[in-house]
Amino acid sequence: MAVFPFSCVGRSMRGILLPTAAVIGFSCLLTYFFVLYQPIVGPGIVQRLGWQAWDAVATVDYFDKEPSKPTVTGDPADGQPIPVNDDETDWWETTKNQSWGTTDDIESYPLDVWAPLLSHDTGLSEIAITRCMMSPSLVGNLCAPTITVEQDAIKGNWVRVDRDLNKQAGLWNLNIYYRWTRRLDIPLITDLRLLPANEIPEPLSDSWVKVDLSIRYGVMRAEPMYLWYLLGKTMNEMNAEEKSSLITEVDILFGEDRPWYGFEKIEPAVTPEKEGQLESVYVTYRRGAQSVPQAHPLHFSRDGKFKILQVADLHFSVSRGICRETDIDPCVNSDNLTNTLLGHVMDEEKPDLVVFSGDQLNGQGTSWDPKSVLAKFAVAAIFGNHDEENGDVKQEQVRMMNALPYSLVQRGPKDIHGVGNYVLDVKSADASKTSLLMLYFLDSGSYSSGYLDWLGYFFPTEYDWIHEDQINWFLQESSKIQAIQRPFTPDTGKDFGSIWNRQADQITPTMHKLAKPNAMMFFHIPLQESYGTADRDPRTGQVLDIGLHDLEGFGAAKKSDGMFDKGLKKALESGHVASGDIPEVKVVANGHCLTILTVLQR
């Protein structure tokens, strides 16, 4: 009886499997490098994209507006308008705010890059919806619509709206694509509709185009809905009013709050809201170039006042918010209630500046789309420990906030810790434009340490702190500030009412001094010294500690690089020996643990 040698079978199988595995592995490697992974666009891509690939989007530069000219008065009938006296025009009405705006080079965006924050007037020529088993962040435009050299050259390149319609539910990644074109002979999109499968736009014409794939594709038990777009005239055929009504951008909004500035919702929702389960999803669009209103340079009023409203720890979410730690019953839609309260406070107080002192975003899994959340507020802000827990990083959030109306947020230097270390200057109302108040904003960070659980979720254990390079940056910025004569008297005191005269009567000549203007500082996580024993008033013996206590525990970071001693106490308002050791920064305002104001010098 012959014995079959199993060793021969093993050698035979190994001889077959090893070469096969090598071929498959090498094929996968080639596929990755030449199809999926393309960090540098090669000459073949240039040829494929066509002549419009590297054209910049036509932009409207709202970062460099011309100063407004003095208005004119007079009788139009006589044809001789009379210019208003320059003395009656406030300087801040004709001066650009140098601290405002984004640091991005807006002319550097090509036509195949999605840039919804960019104000431009380039029209859309075609829209498509695609599905993909894998996220575009992994495979790029592998699932993009079919392209040809001719169509790219005529209609423009496909641009992916980088937001997954099925982010919360659905079996596929679902993305909207559109084409931008700057050609003058191509019909451009002038309207958008979302309709069920059995409906058509009214009045129906040949200019209406239906996107092939349902915008709800992959969502279980969801009725199909289709996106329609209307092709209008070419750019050559349009007048100025028609050009301003062009569809120039498409975006996605998560949640029921207002869309991004300049955008409008398309009703109905792609995904209807299911309370506690799903947030609604809307397609939004922008018509024409929507220039963002610019804030005036910060300045005191003519009666010598400047009011700041600090708003701490909004903890906004993509949803309408869940009520916590309140006696209101019933309480629903906490974000809407908070916005209503803020609107009422602003109407009553009429602040000159609103400062959001961190934790605008709730984090904790509820602010997974920061762009939809940031649309709820604006103005000057710093970051807190929750703002970067979900979604976009701080750098991207700064870009978003820069595109909000009246925003004063700055990215700050890139070579030190944090994002959002910057200084704002509040000037006098008179023509001298003297700096009277400096406002420092610092990023106190998020978390310095933590651990990952077995599912990959991060659990923080310690808060971050203001680092030594930030302290050095603060001291450097402080050293640049010029001393002024204090107390300040405006150049044209007779035009500022009686307040300056009253102040002058109360001041003796010996009280005048040459020193830096007063300053305030904002950062989110308090310093350890904020929890120290308060000083006493030397006249009354009363503890200089006002407000609610013991509502929250110790909230400072466990570590410190010495911001209080090396920074705040070192930056003095005057270098003169006789001036003593009076600090430049008189008040430090924090969030995180309710709102803490630390007064260094009254």
Side-chain angles (χ1 to χ4, degrees):
M1 179 178 178
V3 178
F4 190 80
F6 286 98
S7 58
C8 294
V9 176
R11 285 194 297 269
S12 176
M13 293 297 293
R14 183 175 59 184
I16 296 173
L17 293 178
L18 284 180
T20 303
V23 171
I24 294 174
F26 187 65
S27 300
C28 293
L29 191 63
L30 291 177
T31 302
Y32 176 75
F33 278 110
F34 290 98
V35 178
L36 303 182
Y37 179 69
Q38 293 186 7
I40 301 176
V41 178
I45 296 296
V46 176
Q47 296 171 10
R48 177 170 62 86
L49 291 177
W51 69 272
Q52 298 190 88
W54 307 110
D55 281 2
V57 173
T59 60
V60 175
D61 189 357
Y62 52 82
F63 302 115
D64 192 26
K65 292 181 181 177
E66 289 294 325
S68 58
K69 297 180 179 179
T71 55
V72 296
T73 59
D75 186 358
D78 60 16
Q80 299 294 328
I82 304 172
V84 173
N85 191 316
D86 287 342
D87 292 339
E88 298 178 12
T89 303
D90 294 317
W91 64 263
W92 54 85
E93 298 289 346
T94 59
T95 305
K96 293 182 294 184
N97 193 332
Q98 300 296 333
S99 64
W100 182 89
T102 181
T103 58
D104 288 333
D105 180 7
I106 59 176
E107 294 292 348
S108 67
Y109 285 95
L111 282 176
D112 55 349
V113 173
W114 183 58
L117 305 183
L118 195 65
S119 182
H120 64 85
D121 54 7
T122 306
L124 278 59
S125 61
E126 187 176 0
I127 297 178
I129 296 175
T130 68
R131 63 181 184 270
C132 198
M133 285 292 293
M134 300 181 70
S135 170
S137 62
L138 299 175
V139 300
N141 287 323
L142 182 65
C143 300
T146 304
I147 60 173
T148 64
V149 175
E150 293 77 15
Q151 288 297 307
D152 286 342
I154 295 172
K155 294 185 177 181
N157 310 303
W158 284 112
V159 179
R160 183 180 72 248
V161 177
D162 200 14
R163 297 158 83 74
D164 182 11
L165 288 160
N166 286 350
K167 186 178 181 70
Q168 302 174 91
L171 303 176
W172 306 80
N173 286 273
L174 205 63
N175 289 95
I176 294 177
Y177 281 78
Y178 61 76
R179 293 183 189 265
W180 263 332
T181 183
R182 297 181 65 190
R183 287 183 56 146
L184 304 179
D185 58 344
I186 301 300
L188 300 176
I189 296 175
T190 58
D191 201 4
L192 297 172
R193 302 274 180 87
L194 273 177
L195 298 173
N198 59 349
E199 294 186 20
I200 58 175
E202 294 182 358
L204 182 64
S205 68
D206 293 338
S207 298
W208 279 103
V209 180
K210 178 183 178 182
V211 177
D212 292 333
L213 193 66
S214 168
I215 201 168
R216 290 177 174 172
Y217 185 89
V219 180
M220 300 292 291
R221 296 184 295 277
E223 293 294 328
M225 181 171 289
Y226 290 88
L227 180 64
W228 293 73
Y229 59 90
L230 177 64
L231 289 174
K233 301 177 181 178
T234 66
M235 187 66 78
N236 263 340
E237 300 169 335
M238 292 183 180
N239 56 37
E241 183 179 356
E242 290 170 330
K243 290 177 182 178
S244 66
S245 297
L246 277 176
I247 305 293
T248 56
E249 190 57 85
V250 176
D251 199 356
I252 304 299
L253 172 71
F254 297 99
E256 285 291 335
D257 289 288
R258 62 188 180 192
W260 199 255
Y261 179 82
F263 283 76
E264 303 174 44
K265 291 181 182 179
I266 303 178
E267 298 283 357
V270 176
T271 302
E273 180 183 27
K274 293 182 180 179
E275 188 174 353
Q277 300 179 38
L278 292 175
E279 303 304 328
S280 55
V281 180
Y282 288 91
V283 176
T284 64
Y285 65 93
R286 184 179 63 209
R287 291 188 181 274
Q290 300 287 339
S291 298
V292 179
Q294 179 178 350
H296 288 306
L298 298 178
H299 59 277
F300 277 80
S301 64
R302 288 188 174 275
D303 61 357
K305 297 179 181 179
F306 186 80
K307 183 183 290 187
I308 299 175
L309 172 64
Q310 181 190 356
V311 182
D313 297 73
L314 289 172
H315 284 268
F316 278 165
S317 304
V318 173
S319 69
R320 297 186 236 199
I322 300 174
C323 297
R324 297 186 304 178
E325 301 172 358
T326 178
D327 295 330
I328 300 176
D329 187 23
C331 181
V332 294
N333 303 335
S334 64
D335 289 4
N336 296 345
L337 293 175
T338 301
N339 267 331
T340 301
L341 174 62
L342 286 178
H344 176 73
V345 171
M346 293 177 69
D347 289 341
E348 291 293 322
E349 296 295 333
K350 296 178 174 56
D352 300 292
L353 175 67
V354 180
V355 176
F356 294 94
S357 55
D359 280 1
Q360 288 76 243
L361 276 59
N362 187 48
Q364 306 173 70
T366 68
S367 52
W368 41 267
D369 186 63
K371 189 167 183 288
S372 296
V373 182
L374 291 174
K376 300 182 181 185
F377 68 93
V379 204
I382 51 179
F383 289 112
N385 52 294
H386 288 293
D387 289 314
E388 202 176 24
E389 284 186 358
N390 309 117
D392 298 293
V393 296
K394 293 177 181 178
Q395 291 90 331
E396 183 63 22
Q397 291 185 40
V398 167
R399 289 187 62 252
M400 295 175 187
M401 285 190 280
N402 277 332
L404 289 169
Y406 310 112
S407 174
L408 295 169
V409 178
Q410 299 177 34
R411 196 277 180 221
K414 298 180 180 180
D415 56 349
I416 65 174
H417 279 82
V419 177
N421 301 294
Y422 60 101
V423 186
L424 296 180
D425 182 3
V426 187
K427 298 183 181 296
S428 63
D430 68 326
S432 70
K433 294 186 280 188
T434 303
S435 297
L436 298 183
L437 177 65
M438 306 305 299
L439 303 175
Y440 293 95
F441 299 84
L442 282 84
D443 182 6
S444 56
S446 300
Y447 304 104
S448 62
S449 62
Y451 64 91
L452 295 174
D453 68 2
W454 62 281
L455 290 176
Y457 291 102
F458 178 75
F459 286 86
T461 56
E462 290 187 18
Y463 293 121
D464 206 349
W465 65 91
I466 295 176
H467 292 260
E468 186 173 0
D469 56 0
Q470 293 173 282
I471 299 172
N472 293 334
W473 169 83
F474 160 62
L475 293 175
Q476 183 180 22
E477 292 297 316
S478 175
S479 67
K480 298 177 184 177
I481 298 171
Q482 300 295 318
I484 63 173
Q485 186 71 32
R486 292 175 49 187
F488 171 76
T489 302
D491 284 349
T492 54
K494 63 179 182 296
D495 298 329
F496 284 75
S498 61
I499 183 170
W500 300 105
N501 295 328
R502 293 200 307 270
Q503 290 183 355
D505 294 339
Q506 300 169 6
I507 298 173
T508 61
T510 57
M511 294 179 63
H512 286 273
K513 61 181 178 180
L514 194 65
K516 296 177 185 177
N518 288 322
M520 294 181 65
M521 182 176 287
F522 297 87
F523 51 87
H524 182 66
I525 300 176
L527 300 176
Q528 296 174 357
E529 288 80 2
S530 297
Y531 295 91
T533 303
D535 295 333
R536 291 182 178 274
D537 190 320
R539 297 168 299 175
T540 64
Q542 182 181 1
V543 177
L544 299 175
D545 189 2
I546 302 172
L548 300 173
H549 302 82
D550 303 324
L551 294 182
E552 293 193 40
F554 183 83
K558 296 178 181 178
K559 299 177 183 178
S560 172
D561 279 353
M563 177 62 180
F564 189 81
D565 292 320
K566 297 178 183 178
L568 294 171
K569 294 178 69 174
K570 289 288 186 182
L572 304 179
E573 68 173 21
S574 175
H576 198 280
V577 177
S579 300
D581 57 353
I582 301 176
E584 174 200 359
V585 176
K586 304 302 191 297
V587 175
V588 176
N590 307 115
H592 194 57
C593 301
L594 298 180
T595 301
I596 298 178
L597 294 178
T598 304
V599 180
L600 302 177
Q601 180 77 29
R602 295 201 302 169

